[in-house]
Each structure stands twice: as structure tokens, then as C-alpha cells.
Amino acid sequence: MEDADRMRIIQEAAALFNAKGYRSVTLSELAARLGMSKKTLYVYFSGKEEIAEVVVRLTLDRIAGTVTAHLKREGDPIQLLQETFESIRNEIVKLNPLFLEDIQKYVPALWKQMEAFRSRQLTFVEELLVRAKEAGQIRDIQPRLVSAMILESIQRMGRPDFAAKHGVTVPDVMNALFALFITGLRSDRTS
């Protein structure tokens, strides 16, 4: 029963965070929507920040699973890279940009965890670039250097504040970055 209650809290919190952002959600509101006391929430979580951490961690776990599954597959490395990015984007869009922006502003430790996760997961880029280079699909580049460039671009530009500044969404930024890199990397630009 405890696991069911905990999961119910997480799901309702995720819905609230996605509707209102992190900052605007209160534990009192969450408890009321769940039909339980605020005190009961504290049985399961130390506070709103821990709940947000779990919501984010579940998303990151799904992304990690996707990356692992794509890396195990054989086939066209560029296609695998594209499919992996699309899967990641599809998970990220489940988190409201307002929620992500609030995390970036008001829960910087959690934001740093997200960025560290992103850095660790993007090692798959290098592996797929090595495969693509070996298959002659991309230019004669240094996969490690290009992976670092892609990572730095994503770290700097794949942020809610950057996207908002330019009037687009984080997935829009990610799509543009991916298209630019893939087009520039292909050995045959007509592909």
C-alpha cells in the first residue's frame, strides 16, 4: 500500500508541476488534491523538492533506458542517433517548460543533477559517431571532439531560459541543433 500511495503522490505532483510549474505548487494543494493531509505527505517525502526530484528522476530513468536500448541495437548509426534523440525529446516534452525553468531557477541542485545526467547519457553520441565514421556515413572527424561540441551546444542552448529568450521550445532548439550537426557531419550531403 505504501508504494501505491507514494506513486499516487508522485503522479499527482507531476500533473500539478506540469500544469503550474514547480514554484506555484504547494504541498497543501497537493495534499488536498490527493484527499490526504499534508502531514501524510511528509510520511513519504521530506518536502516538495524531494517530490520534484523523484518526478525528474523517473523521467531521467526512462531516458537512460531508451539510450541503453538504442545502443544495443545494430543498424544505421545515424538513424539510431536520430531515433535516440527523438526518444529523448519525447520524454523531455512530457515535462512542462515552466516546470523545467522553475527547477533551473529555484532548485539549482536538481538542475545540476539533470545536467550531469545529460552529460553522462550523451556519451552514446560518441559511440554512434564512431560507428558512423567506420561505416563511411560521416566526414573524417574526431568523434570525441564532435561529441563534446554537441554536448556543449545542448548544455548551453537546450535550456528553458535560452528557448524562452528566443521564443521557441526546448524541443525546437534540440531539433535545430540535431539537424545542423547531422547535416554537417554527413559525408554525402545529399543524403
PDB file of all heavy atoms in Angstrom, residues 18 47 49 64 71 79 84 100 103 105 117 123 130 133 161-162 181:
ATOM      1  N   ASN A  18       3.452  19.985 -14.021  1.00  0.00           N
ATOM      2  CA  ASN A  18       3.331  20.224 -15.453  1.00  0.00           C
ATOM      3  C   ASN A  18       2.250  21.250 -15.772  1.00  0.00           C
ATOM      4  O   ASN A  18       2.323  21.926 -16.792  1.00  0.00           O
ATOM      5  CB  ASN A  18       3.096  18.911 -16.204  1.00  0.00           C
ATOM      6  CG  ASN A  18       4.388  18.152 -16.377  1.00  0.00           C
ATOM      7  OD1 ASN A  18       5.441  18.751 -16.556  1.00  0.00           O
ATOM      8  ND2 ASN A  18       4.329  16.844 -16.314  1.00  0.00           N
ATOM      9  N   GLY A  47       9.730  16.817   1.519  1.00  0.00           N
ATOM     10  CA  GLY A  47       9.176  18.094   1.084  1.00  0.00           C
ATOM     11  C   GLY A  47       8.978  18.127  -0.417  1.00  0.00           C
ATOM     12  O   GLY A  47       9.173  17.133  -1.124  1.00  0.00           O
ATOM     13  N   GLU A  49      10.675  19.605  -2.738  1.00  0.00           N
ATOM     14  CA  GLU A  49      11.887  19.409  -3.527  1.00  0.00           C
ATOM     15  C   GLU A  49      12.164  17.922  -3.755  1.00  0.00           C
ATOM     16  O   GLU A  49      12.506  17.510  -4.866  1.00  0.00           O
ATOM     17  CB  GLU A  49      13.078  20.069  -2.839  1.00  0.00           C
ATOM     18  CG  GLU A  49      14.319  20.109  -3.706  1.00  0.00           C
ATOM     19  CD  GLU A  49      15.407  20.979  -3.121  1.00  0.00           C
ATOM     20  OE1 GLU A  49      15.104  22.041  -2.552  1.00  0.00           O
ATOM     21  OE2 GLU A  49      16.576  20.572  -3.242  1.00  0.00           O
ATOM     22  N   ALA A  64      17.416   7.099 -19.779  1.00  0.00           N
ATOM     23  CA  ALA A  64      18.575   6.191 -19.691  1.00  0.00           C
ATOM     24  C   ALA A  64      18.241   4.832 -20.292  1.00  0.00           C
ATOM     25  O   ALA A  64      19.052   4.240 -21.015  1.00  0.00           O
ATOM     26  CB  ALA A  64      19.019   6.040 -18.235  1.00  0.00           C
ATOM     27  N   LEU A  71      21.540   1.821 -27.984  1.00  0.00           N
ATOM     28  CA  LEU A  71      22.947   1.464 -28.165  1.00  0.00           C
ATOM     29  C   LEU A  71      23.137  -0.027 -28.397  1.00  0.00           C
ATOM     30  O   LEU A  71      24.103  -0.436 -29.036  1.00  0.00           O
ATOM     31  CB  LEU A  71      23.779   1.907 -26.954  1.00  0.00           C
ATOM     32  CG  LEU A  71      24.164   3.372 -26.931  1.00  0.00           C
ATOM     33  CD1 LEU A  71      24.893   3.724 -25.649  1.00  0.00           C
ATOM     34  CD2 LEU A  71      25.035   3.722 -28.139  1.00  0.00           C
ATOM     35  N   GLN A  79      20.811   6.735 -38.168  1.00  0.00           N
ATOM     36  CA  GLN A  79      19.396   6.500 -37.885  1.00  0.00           C
ATOM     37  C   GLN A  79      19.184   6.233 -36.391  1.00  0.00           C
ATOM     38  O   GLN A  79      18.247   6.749 -35.782  1.00  0.00           O
ATOM     39  CB  GLN A  79      18.865   5.322 -38.716  1.00  0.00           C
ATOM     40  CG  GLN A  79      17.384   5.080 -38.538  1.00  0.00           C
ATOM     41  CD  GLN A  79      16.518   6.226 -39.060  1.00  0.00           C
ATOM     42  OE1 GLN A  79      16.872   6.883 -40.029  1.00  0.00           O
ATOM     43  NE2 GLN A  79      15.407   6.461 -38.418  1.00  0.00           N
ATOM     44  N   THR A  84      17.313   7.936 -31.187  1.00  0.00           N
ATOM     45  CA  THR A  84      17.608   8.154 -29.772  1.00  0.00           C
ATOM     46  C   THR A  84      17.266   9.584 -29.369  1.00  0.00           C
ATOM     47  O   THR A  84      16.619   9.814 -28.353  1.00  0.00           O
ATOM     48  CB  THR A  84      19.085   7.844 -29.464  1.00  0.00           C
ATOM     49  OG1 THR A  84      19.391   6.521 -29.899  1.00  0.00           O
ATOM     50  CG2 THR A  84      19.370   7.955 -27.971  1.00  0.00           C
ATOM     51  N   LEU A 100      10.494  22.968 -15.889  1.00  0.00           N
ATOM     52  CA  LEU A 100      11.948  22.917 -16.073  1.00  0.00           C
ATOM     53  C   LEU A 100      12.603  24.260 -15.763  1.00  0.00           C
ATOM     54  O   LEU A 100      13.660  24.313 -15.122  1.00  0.00           O
ATOM     55  CB  LEU A 100      12.288  22.475 -17.500  1.00  0.00           C
ATOM     56  CG  LEU A 100      11.930  21.037 -17.852  1.00  0.00           C
ATOM     57  CD1 LEU A 100      12.186  20.770 -19.322  1.00  0.00           C
ATOM     58  CD2 LEU A 100      12.707  20.061 -16.983  1.00  0.00           C
ATOM     59  N   ILE A 103      12.720  24.667 -12.066  1.00  0.00           N
ATOM     60  CA  ILE A 103      13.776  23.822 -11.494  1.00  0.00           C
ATOM     61  C   ILE A 103      15.113  24.505 -11.687  1.00  0.00           C
ATOM     62  O   ILE A 103      15.933  24.585 -10.772  1.00  0.00           O
ATOM     63  CB  ILE A 103      13.769  22.407 -12.136  1.00  0.00           C
ATOM     64  CG1 ILE A 103      12.507  21.646 -11.759  1.00  0.00           C
ATOM     65  CG2 ILE A 103      15.025  21.622 -11.766  1.00  0.00           C
ATOM     66  CD1 ILE A 103      12.336  21.380 -10.286  1.00  0.00           C
ATOM     67  N   LYS A 105      15.733  27.654 -11.942  1.00  0.00           N
ATOM     68  CA  LYS A 105      15.839  28.853 -11.111  1.00  0.00           C
ATOM     69  C   LYS A 105      15.809  28.571  -9.608  1.00  0.00           C
ATOM     70  O   LYS A 105      16.562  29.178  -8.848  1.00  0.00           O
ATOM     71  CB  LYS A 105      14.680  29.808 -11.422  1.00  0.00           C
ATOM     72  CG  LYS A 105      14.773  30.522 -12.726  1.00  0.00           C
ATOM     73  CD  LYS A 105      13.548  31.416 -12.909  1.00  0.00           C
ATOM     74  CE  LYS A 105      13.526  32.074 -14.253  1.00  0.00           C
ATOM     75  NZ  LYS A 105      12.291  32.846 -14.480  1.00  0.00           N
ATOM     76  N   PHE A 117      23.474  14.306 -15.548  1.00  0.00           N
ATOM     77  CA  PHE A 117      22.867  13.144 -16.195  1.00  0.00           C
ATOM     78  C   PHE A 117      22.978  13.282 -17.706  1.00  0.00           C
ATOM     79  O   PHE A 117      23.347  12.347 -18.408  1.00  0.00           O
ATOM     80  CB  PHE A 117      21.394  13.014 -15.780  1.00  0.00           C
ATOM     81  CG  PHE A 117      20.643  11.975 -16.566  1.00  0.00           C
ATOM     82  CD1 PHE A 117      20.681  10.650 -16.180  1.00  0.00           C
ATOM     83  CD2 PHE A 117      19.914  12.321 -17.693  1.00  0.00           C
ATOM     84  CE1 PHE A 117      19.996   9.682 -16.905  1.00  0.00           C
ATOM     85  CE2 PHE A 117      19.232  11.366 -18.426  1.00  0.00           C
ATOM     86  CZ  PHE A 117      19.279  10.040 -18.029  1.00  0.00           C
ATOM     87  N   THR A 123      27.229  10.306 -23.827  1.00  0.00           N
ATOM     88  CA  THR A 123      28.382   9.527 -24.291  1.00  0.00           C
ATOM     89  C   THR A 123      27.965   8.606 -25.426  1.00  0.00           C
ATOM     90  O   THR A 123      28.798   8.174 -26.217  1.00  0.00           O
ATOM     91  CB  THR A 123      29.015   8.709 -23.145  1.00  0.00           C
ATOM     92  OG1 THR A 123      28.026   7.836 -22.595  1.00  0.00           O
ATOM     93  CG2 THR A 123      29.593   9.604 -22.065  1.00  0.00           C
ATOM     94  N   VAL A 130      31.390   7.061 -33.824  1.00  0.00           N
ATOM     95  CA  VAL A 130      32.465   6.136 -34.189  1.00  0.00           C
ATOM     96  C   VAL A 130      31.935   5.103 -35.170  1.00  0.00           C
ATOM     97  O   VAL A 130      32.555   4.818 -36.206  1.00  0.00           O
ATOM     98  CB  VAL A 130      33.076   5.464 -32.931  1.00  0.00           C
ATOM     99  CG1 VAL A 130      33.961   4.284 -33.302  1.00  0.00           C
ATOM    100  CG2 VAL A 130      33.856   6.482 -32.106  1.00  0.00           C
ATOM    101  N   LYS A 133      31.354   6.737 -38.532  1.00  0.00           N
ATOM    102  CA  LYS A 133      32.631   7.017 -39.216  1.00  0.00           C
ATOM    103  C   LYS A 133      33.175   5.737 -39.829  1.00  0.00           C
ATOM    104  O   LYS A 133      33.615   5.726 -40.982  1.00  0.00           O
ATOM    105  CB  LYS A 133      33.618   7.627 -38.228  1.00  0.00           C
ATOM    106  CG  LYS A 133      34.921   8.054 -38.859  1.00  0.00           C
ATOM    107  CD  LYS A 133      35.834   8.722 -37.845  1.00  0.00           C
ATOM    108  CE  LYS A 133      37.177   9.043 -38.474  1.00  0.00           C
ATOM    109  NZ  LYS A 133      38.086   9.649 -37.476  1.00  0.00           N
ATOM    110  N   ASP A 161      15.626  28.693 -20.327  1.00  0.00           N
ATOM    111  CA  ASP A 161      15.846  30.134 -20.423  1.00  0.00           C
ATOM    112  C   ASP A 161      16.308  30.541 -21.822  1.00  0.00           C
ATOM    113  O   ASP A 161      15.883  31.560 -22.351  1.00  0.00           O
ATOM    114  CB  ASP A 161      16.804  30.640 -19.341  1.00  0.00           C
ATOM    115  CG  ASP A 161      18.169  29.965 -19.352  1.00  0.00           C
ATOM    116  OD1 ASP A 161      18.340  28.888 -19.976  1.00  0.00           O
ATOM    117  OD2 ASP A 161      19.087  30.504 -18.692  1.00  0.00           O
ATOM    118  N   PHE A 162      17.151  29.729 -22.448  1.00  0.00           N
ATOM    119  CA  PHE A 162      17.602  30.015 -23.812  1.00  0.00           C
ATOM    120  C   PHE A 162      16.420  29.950 -24.780  1.00  0.00           C
ATOM    121  O   PHE A 162      16.228  30.843 -25.606  1.00  0.00           O
ATOM    122  CB  PHE A 162      18.702  29.026 -24.238  1.00  0.00           C
ATOM    123  CG  PHE A 162      19.197  29.255 -25.638  1.00  0.00           C
ATOM    124  CD1 PHE A 162      20.235  30.132 -25.885  1.00  0.00           C
ATOM    125  CD2 PHE A 162      18.625  28.583 -26.712  1.00  0.00           C
ATOM    126  CE1 PHE A 162      20.690  30.354 -27.184  1.00  0.00           C
ATOM    127  CE2 PHE A 162      19.065  28.794 -28.008  1.00  0.00           C
ATOM    128  CZ  PHE A 162      20.100  29.684 -28.256  1.00  0.00           C
ATOM    129  N   PHE A 181      23.916  19.543 -36.844  1.00  0.00           N
ATOM    130  CA  PHE A 181      25.052  18.642 -36.674  1.00  0.00           C
ATOM    131  C   PHE A 181      25.005  17.486 -37.670  1.00  0.00           C
ATOM    132  O   PHE A 181      26.021  17.177 -38.299  1.00  0.00           O
ATOM    133  CB  PHE A 181      25.136  18.115 -35.240  1.00  0.00           C
ATOM    134  CG  PHE A 181      25.854  19.042 -34.320  1.00  0.00           C
ATOM    135  CD1 PHE A 181      25.155  19.765 -33.373  1.00  0.00           C
ATOM    136  CD2 PHE A 181      27.223  19.215 -34.397  1.00  0.00           C
ATOM    137  CE1 PHE A 181      25.818  20.644 -32.521  1.00  0.00           C
ATOM    138  CE2 PHE A 181      27.893  20.093 -33.560  1.00  0.00           C
ATOM    139  CZ  PHE A 181      27.184  20.806 -32.615  1.00  0.00           C
TER     140      PHE A 181
END
